[in-house]
Amino acid sequence: MKISGKFVYIKKISLKDALFIYKLRIDKLNSFFLHNPPKSISAQKNWIRNNIKNKKASDFVIIEKKYNKKIGTIALNNIDKNSAEWGRWISTGNSVQNIESVVLLLKYGFKKLQLKKIYSLTNANNKKVVNFHKNSNATYNGIIKSFFNIKNKKIDAVKYSFNKENFKKFEKKFIFMTQLVRL
């Protein structure tokens, strides 16, 4: 499955993506905000193999269209009939590509899966992503104390959510912003 935008497309992960995802997850800047990264490429392949079978998750690789180059990952997980959590968002793309990857994922969740709500739980120390949520049309749902355990430290999560209405506003704002952009 491939979902295409103007600057990026997202495609379902496969075992061929294991090395790329492994390298993203062990990168020092990325791993600072993440749960423990896999210990090996083999462990990453096992995780992908298991997650492909998981009916409550849809993991994607983000690909830059211009050069057909992998730039990140994004996912919906904890999918039920009404809601899902979006996360596992790691991207080396520019801000336009990163935002478009979110638009594509949310569009998939609201249109294809017919979800009513998509929420995110972000490491409170990840200021870039927390600020992204603050500046999107997502609804602030509060802080969940000591939600993450990262490097044996309890870290708070910041929860934001989209429903179909505030997603449409977010998507419209993104489309307006990109009308003059050429990457």
Side-chain angles (χ1 to χ4, degrees):
M1 169 186 294
K2 178 177 160 180
I3 304 164
S4 195
K6 183 175 179 180
F7 306 104
V8 300
Y9 65 90
I10 59 176
K11 71 164 189 75
K12 290 276 191 154
I13 62 166
S14 72
L15 288 176
K16 293 176 185 174
D17 301 313
L19 179 61
F20 170 73
I21 295 170
Y22 175 74
K23 286 180 177 180
L24 270 181
R25 291 189 53 81
I26 64 168
D27 177 89
K28 285 188 193 270
L29 289 175
N30 296 334
S31 67
F32 185 76
F33 300 113
L34 304 175
H35 294 285
N36 295 333
K39 303 245 187 266
S40 66
I41 295 168
S42 177
Q44 184 67 59
K45 283 182 180 178
N46 286 336
W47 184 90
I48 290 172
R49 198 175 284 113
N50 290 331
N51 226 43
I52 287 171
K53 296 176 197 170
N54 183 354
K55 300 289 186 212
K56 293 188 174 222
S58 287
D59 284 82
F60 297 89
V61 174
I62 305 165
I63 301 171
E64 177 184 41
K65 286 177 83 171
K66 188 174 184 178
Y67 300 107
N68 203 37
K69 178 185 171 197
K70 295 175 188 177
I71 60 170
T73 64
I74 194 166
L76 288 175
N77 55 21
N78 300 319
I79 299 169
D80 65 30
K81 71 178 194 170
N82 292 314
S83 68
E85 175 186 352
W86 76 270
R88 297 200 271 269
W89 186 36
I90 307 170
S91 182
T92 61
N94 63 44
S95 58
V96 172
Q97 293 165 331
N98 295 341
I99 295 169
E100 186 171 48
S101 71
V102 174
V103 169
L104 295 174
L105 183 78
L106 295 176
K107 188 183 288 189
Y108 169 77
F110 287 121
K111 291 189 178 175
K112 174 82 171 151
L113 301 180
Q114 294 295 303
L115 299 172
K116 291 179 175 53
K117 179 175 141 184
I118 300 173
Y119 63 93
S120 67
L121 299 167
T122 303
N123 178 326
N125 296 324
N126 192 342
K127 301 298 182 201
K128 274 185 168 180
V129 176
V130 171
N131 284 332
F132 165 80
H133 291 299
K134 282 181 185 175
N135 294 312
S136 73
N137 290 79
T139 302
Y140 174 73
N141 301 119
I143 301 285
I144 302 172
K145 294 286 187 189
S146 302
F147 182 81
F148 296 109
N149 185 1
I150 299 174
K151 296 178 178 81
N152 296 316
K153 290 182 183 173
K154 295 290 186 180
I155 308 290
D156 296 345
V158 182
K159 185 174 183 180
Y160 279 89
S161 62
F162 279 97
N163 59 31
K164 288 181 182 181
E165 290 75 35
N166 60 2
F167 166 66
K168 285 178 189 173
K169 290 176 186 172
F170 174 65
E171 181 182 31
K172 190 181 274 188
K173 187 178 358 177
F174 173 75
I175 291 168
F176 177 77
M177 179 184 86
T178 61
Q179 286 179 342
L180 301 174
V181 175
R182 287 183 176 74
L183 297 178

